[in-house]
Amino acid sequence: MLRRGDFLMIQNRLNEGAFLKDIAAELGVSTKTVSRAVKRNSAPTGKPGRPKVSKLDPFVEQINELLARNVWNAQVILRELQSRGYSGSVSLLREYIAPKRALRPSRATVRFETPPGKQMQSDWAELRTMIAGVDTKVFFCVNELGHSRAMHIWAALSFDAHHTFEAMVRAFEYFGGIPAQVLVDNQKAAVIEHPREGEIRFNNRFLDMADFYGFKPKACKPARPQTKGKVERMVSYLKGHFFVRYQQFESLAHLNQQLEQWLRTEAEPRVHGTTREVVQEMFKRELPYLQALPNTRFDTAYIETRRVGWDGYIDVNGNRYSVPSNLAGQSVRVYIGLEGTLRVANMQDQWVASHTLRHKSSGWVVDSSHHKPLWEKTMGKVQARPLSVYEEML
């Protein structure tokens, strides 16, 4: 039976040029019902009676909130409602959502398919979630193979160049191979300048990584994110599925563990809405087309130069770390890893020290072997005195 709100929706859709059968499908009624309402120019008027109570009524506010967040998948909404006590069917939920789909924002674009092993699309997004009980802004990088739609997701607290490189390296390792091309947005982490005419200037470290892994870097056209629409849609899929189901995490590491588990148990076994094939089955066919991983890993650490003090220490992030004393007064390269490691190399690229980063409140970080020659040299110049000298002074 049509309600007054349904009749208003019919009028709006007719003004937009919609067909009666399409309107009927959206409302979940017959075409004749819509036709009669149009001829009557009003919703049907029945005898007033006791209003029918639906199992869905207590959850309407939650449903509308999810729709406002652009979550339209009925199964995802169903899981969320069931966790709050909903015992009704998914068909009842679909009937409620159907007439509202006309309000769903959309943008038409031409779909471009890529052959297996050809391309990986990469993009960053952000949202707030609870980590260790704290409301935290989290950045997550989605790397998706253009052919099979297999993807890898990595969450971090920053989306600078080094975290971008780390996310891509982890994706290569997760897939077990490297695509021929990596398509990125015009983020400064990868693209320094992208003029509408002329050559693109990529970040030098990004070019180093491309050479290391043997892929060709490619950037989207400026102001046209549809160029990498596949991964844009996967960012929406992630927000509308994973972060609806999982909303609290013990740590950033726990978040990444949950992401990989969700990829293997839900995202990869699903039938993709565009290809109409199971993602993990398509990936099995795409894998042989990926290039083999090299024997070593690209170093995504921050690389900086420091001058060693005359006491054999260097300053890093507000604390001091020991290096071999023979480097006192010389310059060294420091590699600050994203996982809290500190490695030091001399200017001939030979490793000379390794530490774990610590807050300055914990004190200087010392490797006793670094300064042993310095102490031996110093002790050799100290005059030894017998105890009798001090006894004479008493």
Side-chain angles (χ1 to χ4, degrees):
M1 181 176 176
L2 295 178
R3 294 166 293 184
R4 180 174 177 81
D6 296 331
F7 179 70
L8 294 176
M9 182 267 195
I10 292 173
Q11 288 182 314
N12 290 334
R13 296 291 283 128
L14 285 174
N15 292 335
E16 294 172 359
F19 294 103
L20 292 181
K21 64 177 183 178
D22 293 329
I23 299 175
E26 292 174 5
L27 291 174
V29 298
S30 69
T31 305
K32 288 183 179 181
T33 300
V34 177
S35 178
R36 284 195 294 267
V38 172
K39 291 178 181 178
R40 190 173 49 247
N41 197 30
S42 68
T45 56
K47 295 181 180 180
R50 186 175 182 180
K52 185 178 180 180
V53 179
S54 169
K55 291 183 178 180
L56 208 60
D57 289 347
F59 304 94
V60 168
E61 185 177 344
Q62 290 95 324
I63 298 171
N64 291 338
E65 180 183 344
L66 289 169
L67 296 179
R69 289 161 53 188
N70 206 26
V71 179
W72 291 87
N73 187 295
Q75 289 292 343
V76 173
I77 298 175
L78 176 65
R79 286 200 298 267
E80 182 65 18
L81 297 186
Q82 287 174 337
S83 69
R84 303 184 186 190
Y86 175 65
S87 59
S89 65
V90 69
S91 59
L92 185 62
L93 177 60
R94 288 195 176 109
E95 289 176 6
Y96 178 81
I97 297 173
K100 299 177 180 293
R101 288 192 180 277
L103 305 175
R104 183 178 182 179
S106 63
R107 188 189 308 176
T109 186
V110 177
R111 192 180 306 282
F112 176 73
E113 297 295 337
T114 53
K118 173 69 175 178
Q119 187 183 88
M120 182 181 82
Q121 297 184 0
S122 182
D123 195 20
W124 282 96
E126 65 179 73
L127 53 72
R128 303 196 72 88
T129 190
M130 299 297 292
I131 296 182
V134 179
D135 182 34
T136 307
K137 180 188 285 189
V138 177
F139 302 94
F140 54 94
C141 187
V142 179
N143 288 292
E144 182 184 19
L145 295 176
H147 178 74
S148 65
R149 272 54 167 199
M151 63 177 175
H152 179 262
I153 306 166
W154 183 61
L157 300 180
S158 172
F159 68 116
D160 61 11
H162 300 272
H163 286 82
T164 298
F165 305 152
E166 180 68 21
M168 290 182 184
V169 172
R170 288 178 181 239
F172 297 154
E173 293 171 346
Y174 182 81
F175 297 141
I178 306 158
Q181 182 185 93
V182 173
L183 177 66
V184 297
D185 203 347
N186 289 285
Q187 177 192 353
K188 294 299 182 184
V191 180
I192 302 299
E193 184 181 10
H194 192 166
R196 295 189 180 275
E197 295 183 5
E199 187 176 355
I200 302 172
R201 285 182 55 215
F202 287 103
N203 180 303
N204 285 334
R205 286 284 287 164
F206 184 49
L207 291 177
D208 289 342
M209 186 172 71
D211 289 339
F212 185 90
Y213 285 109
F215 67 80
K216 181 180 179 180
K218 185 178 180 181
C220 293
K221 292 181 180 180
R224 184 165 175 78
Q226 295 96 326
T227 307
K228 54 180 180 62
K230 297 184 183 73
V231 75
E232 292 279 358
R233 285 185 291 275
M234 291 317 301
V235 168
S236 297
Y237 175 73
L238 175 67
K239 289 182 176 180
H241 289 68
F242 178 83
F243 283 105
V244 169
R245 184 172 180 183
Y246 303 98
Q247 299 180 357
Q248 296 191 41
F249 308 93
E250 297 172 3
S251 63
L252 190 63
H254 179 228
L255 168 55
N256 280 310
Q257 290 171 1
Q258 291 291 93
L259 279 169
E260 287 209 359
Q261 180 181 348
W262 175 78
L263 285 172
R264 297 188 187 279
T265 59
E266 291 198 34
E268 293 171 2
R270 84 189 191 283
V271 175
H272 194 273
T274 301
T275 64
R276 300 298 179 186
E277 292 194 55
V278 176
V279 173
Q280 61 188 8
E281 296 301 321
M282 285 194 71
F283 173 68
K284 289 178 183 178
R285 299 198 299 269
E286 183 173 20
L287 182 57
Y289 292 89
L290 298 177
Q291 305 172 68
L293 289 167
N295 294 327
T296 56
R297 193 180 195 270
F298 182 76
D299 199 332
T300 61
Y302 296 89
I303 304 175
E304 301 174 2
T305 301
R306 292 287 190 278
R307 194 166 189 82
V308 182
W310 292 106
D311 55 357
Y313 286 87
I314 55 173
D315 296 311
V316 179
N317 294 346
N319 203 0
R320 305 201 76 203
Y321 299 83
S322 67
V323 298
S325 56
N326 65 304
L327 295 172
Q330 300 181 31
S331 294
V332 293
R333 291 193 184 93
V334 297
Y335 294 73
I336 305 172
L338 303 183
E339 302 296 331
T341 60
L342 173 65
R343 292 166 294 145
V344 185
N346 59 25
M347 300 310 287
Q348 291 74 44
D349 292 324
Q350 298 170 323
W351 297 114
V352 295
S354 178
H355 298 286
T356 298
L357 289 172
R358 296 181 187 174
H359 191 268
K360 61 181 179 181
S361 61
S362 64
W364 295 7
V365 182
V366 184
D367 182 335
S368 59
S369 65
H370 289 163
H371 297 166
K372 185 176 180 181
L374 182 63
W375 282 108
E376 290 177 346
K377 183 178 180 180
T378 303
M379 291 300 294
K381 295 182 178 180
V382 176
Q383 181 181 2
R385 297 178 180 177
L387 291 177
S388 58
V389 174
Y390 297 98
E391 293 174 354
E392 293 175 359
M393 297 175 63
L394 298 178

